[in-house]
Amino acid sequence: WYPAPPGSSPISTGHNAVIDAPLDLSGGPYPLLLFSHGSCGYPLQSVFMTGLLASHGFIVVAPPHPGNTINDFPTCGTPAAQVNSVAERPQDMIHVLDQMLLANADSASPFFGALVPYPLGMSGHSFGGLTTFLTVGIDSRLKVAMPMAAATPAGGMFTIPSLSMLGQVDSVVNVPNIRNAYTASHSPKFLVEIKHAGHYAFSALC
């Protein structure tokens, strides 16, 4: 998702964006945000956010995590798939980040010169929130973290600026762990708790 010229249409409801619209370079270069979907999810799961961020001047990249998408159901949620995903998901995101930065430097790319190389940010929902913790922990190019209803690792914390979000009636992930990770994280940091919201409030399918 990326800023398009004013008046671009039609907007695809499934993408919350104009598909294949030209990139509006007049407001660039733009900051880049990576988004990681949940377990057995898919890149279009949170288009309410990805499209909105693009309308505010971000380029948002949301890749699939092979083996752990809705298209891999029912094996996407098996213990083996979960273990593989812990190892593979951060590498998925780092690969995508590398490719976007290469495109930014390639004069033949539609993204040539479109990106602010730094700071870069990452977000994710559920297992994508865990992926956010893991990826920012191994790639120092990522300077901002925004996990949503995250599956939070034991002892998890951020040393970079962060915005953590949760639904107060989430029955899927451990909400106290999210709060503990927020408490342990370095400032600046923000915690948003949504009343009467569950785990899938952060998915467009909810």
Side-chain angles (χ1 to χ4, degrees):
W1 290 259
Y2 48 82
S8 297
S9 64
I11 294 177
S12 163
T13 56
H15 295 78
N16 194 24
V18 178
I19 298 175
D20 294 329
L23 173 62
D24 181 7
L25 292 171
S26 65
Y30 302 106
L32 177 68
L33 180 76
L34 304 176
F35 177 78
S36 176
H37 64 73
S39 181
C40 296
Y42 66 121
L44 298 176
Q45 71 155 68
S46 299
V47 295
F48 67 91
M49 183 188 78
T50 51
L52 178 66
L53 287 173
S55 75
H56 284 278
F58 288 83
I59 292 178
V60 184
V61 183
H65 293 292
N68 194 226
T69 73
I70 195 170
N71 294 326
D72 301 301
F73 187 83
T75 59
C76 58
T78 62
Q82 300 289 299
V83 169
N84 289 339
S85 292
V86 169
E88 295 172 356
R89 277 169 159 263
Q91 298 306 316
D92 293 342
M93 303 311 296
I94 291 170
H95 174 72
V96 168
L97 175 55
D98 289 342
Q99 294 304 307
M100 289 302 298
L101 293 178
L102 286 173
N104 188 55
D106 182 358
S107 61
S109 165
F111 291 99
F112 177 59
L115 297 174
V116 178
Y118 303 100
L120 305 168
M122 181 164 171
S123 180
H125 170 241
S126 193
F127 204 148
L130 174 60
T131 306
T132 300
F133 275 97
L134 298 175
T135 308
V136 302
I138 60 176
D139 195 322
S140 61
R141 295 173 298 180
L142 295 165
K143 304 298 186 184
V144 179
M146 191 173 70
M148 303 183 297
T152 306
M157 59 174 289
F158 294 112
T159 59
I160 58 176
S162 61
L163 166 62
S164 298
M165 291 181 274
L166 61 88
Q168 290 186 341
V169 294
D170 193 321
S171 61
V172 176
V173 297
N174 189 312
V175 169
N177 279 359
I178 299 173
R179 294 179 178 132
N180 291 339
Y182 167 75
T183 299
S185 294
H186 295 191
S187 294
K189 59 184 179 179
F190 298 91
L191 175 65
V192 174
E193 300 197 13
I194 305 174
K195 292 181 178 181
H196 314 299
H199 188 67
Y200 297 102
F202 300 95
S203 168
L205 295 177
C206 177

